[in-house]
Amino acid sequence: MSTSTTSLPLSGRVAVVTGASSGIGAASAEHLASLGARVVVLARRADRLADLVARIGKDGGTATAVAADVTDAAAVRAAAERVAAEFGGADLLLNNAGVMLPAPIEELAADQWKHQIDLNVTGLMNAIGAFVPQLVAAAAERGVADLVNTSSIAAQNIFPNFAVYSGTKAYVTHLSRHLRAELGAKNVRVSALEPGIVGTELQNHVTDQGALDWLEGSRESIEWLTAQDVARTVGFIASQPPRVNFQQVTIMPTGQPA
Ligand code: NDP
């Protein structure tokens, strides 16, 4: 079916997805495009973005790649200016780029602490700074816009050795609740998306042996979520009537206890 069909729930919408070159971001971009949104996919790996854009196009959707590092505020602002010029602005931001680098705090892995904070907190804020004005403008014009921030079950539960990652995700969830209260009056819905464990490239960056062993044990004993499971949740959130705002959506693998 062509995505230009007006009955698709997200037709006419412009969705920006950060962290779109793999995992949850890539799957969400594909799903949002299948629901009729024009998607702008943002990450650092331009080759992966080009493949994704081609895949979406082949399936009848519309996608544009913007290679940018979200920790670079000027680059994210330039990306937003391009979205404004080419599409008249975004009305959906899936603020999703992130990294998880667990390790016991006594290892003093300061570079990994900084990497997680720079990307999961500062990168997220750079995208908020660049795109919230567009969301507010779109909501004023068309009655609704969405800011979906990818948090994690780690924002809620306690995972030994995941303190810094969990701290960044607690920030994302708490920030989202505040922004929802602030932006709801302007018809911008804000959601914190909190997946349990999802099989993506996220686990590939882990270097701590204890964490790798824990992940391996988990993979063997639990059927993890897929990126597509989370993508469908993003589509569901964005397809609600304008009065409906999922504030916080936790999606767990059935077998993951906490
Ligand atoms: P992936 O590693 O597959 O995806 C991470 C994405 O972030 C990639 O597209 C990567 O692309 C992008 N990225 C990394 N650094 C930057 C940067 N500096 N600038 C722009 N983009 C960047 O993992 P997931 O899909 O799993 O992760 C997506 C989000 O989901 C993260 O926020 C993660 O914390 C969260 N999450 C994941 C869970 C899981 O179990 N997988 C569970 C709960 C939450 P590139 O390298 O090309 O820049």
Side-chain angles (χ1 to χ4, degrees):
M1 194 201 306
S2 162
T3 47
S4 63
T5 307
T6 48
S7 61
L8 290 172
L10 300 183
S11 64
R13 302 210 42 191
V14 177
V16 172
V17 179
T18 74
S21 61
S22 61
I24 293 168
S28 297
E30 288 190 89
H31 186 59
L32 294 171
S34 79
L35 296 177
R38 285 175 290 167
V39 294
V40 177
V41 292
L42 193 150
R44 293 167 304 172
R45 286 172 293 176
D47 53 337
R48 296 284 290 264
L49 295 178
D51 290 347
L52 175 64
V53 165
R55 227 163 40 237
I56 290 173
K58 202 159 148 269
D59 291 340
T62 308
T64 301
V66 178
D69 181 334
V70 295
T71 65
D72 177 348
V76 184
R77 271 198 307 275
E81 280 163 19
R82 194 173 148 196
V83 173
E86 290 184 24
F87 301 102
D91 60 28
L92 194 166
L93 172 64
L94 175 59
N95 206 0
N96 169 77
V99 67
M100 176 185 82
L101 303 168
I105 207 72
E106 287 172 286
E107 281 184 13
L108 306 180
D111 288 350
Q112 295 197 338
W113 301 347
K114 182 169 169 11
H115 185 177
Q116 292 173 96
I117 294 164
D118 284 353
L119 179 55
N120 301 358
V121 176
T122 307
L124 179 107
M125 292 313 299
N126 287 340
I128 285 174
F131 287 103
V132 160
Q134 295 185 9
L135 299 180
V136 170
E141 208 175 286
R142 281 166 263 154
V144 73
D146 286 288
L147 169 59
V148 180
N149 293 317
T150 308
S151 180
S152 166
I153 188 59
Q156 306 297 337
N157 294 351
I158 304 301
F159 299 96
N161 304 335
F162 284 70
V164 177
Y165 177 73
S166 301
T168 66
K169 293 303 184 179
Y171 174 91
V172 175
T173 288
H174 205 53
L175 174 92
S176 302
R177 292 165 69 110
H178 278 79
L179 292 184
R180 199 196 73 78
E182 196 174 327
L183 296 175
K186 299 190 167 177
N187 294 329
V188 179
R189 304 183 289 202
V190 183
S191 305
L193 178 64
E194 299 180 335
I197 200 154
V198 189
T200 65
E201 293 181 14
L202 195 77
Q203 296 85 22
N204 300 354
H205 305 290
V206 176
T207 55
D208 178 71
Q209 194 53 50
L212 285 168
D213 293 344
W214 182 84
L215 286 164
E216 193 46 39
S218 160
R219 196 193 286 276
E220 281 167 11
S221 58
I222 295 168
E223 185 177 357
W224 288 358
L225 296 172
T226 67
Q228 288 72 25
D229 297 327
V230 183
R232 280 193 298 275
T233 309
V234 175
F236 181 72
I237 290 169
S239 301
Q240 297 303 312
R243 64 180 178 277
V244 180
N245 184 170
F246 281 91
Q247 169 173 284
Q248 202 168 326
V249 179
T250 304
I251 169 172
M252 298 290 283
T254 303
Q256 183 180 348

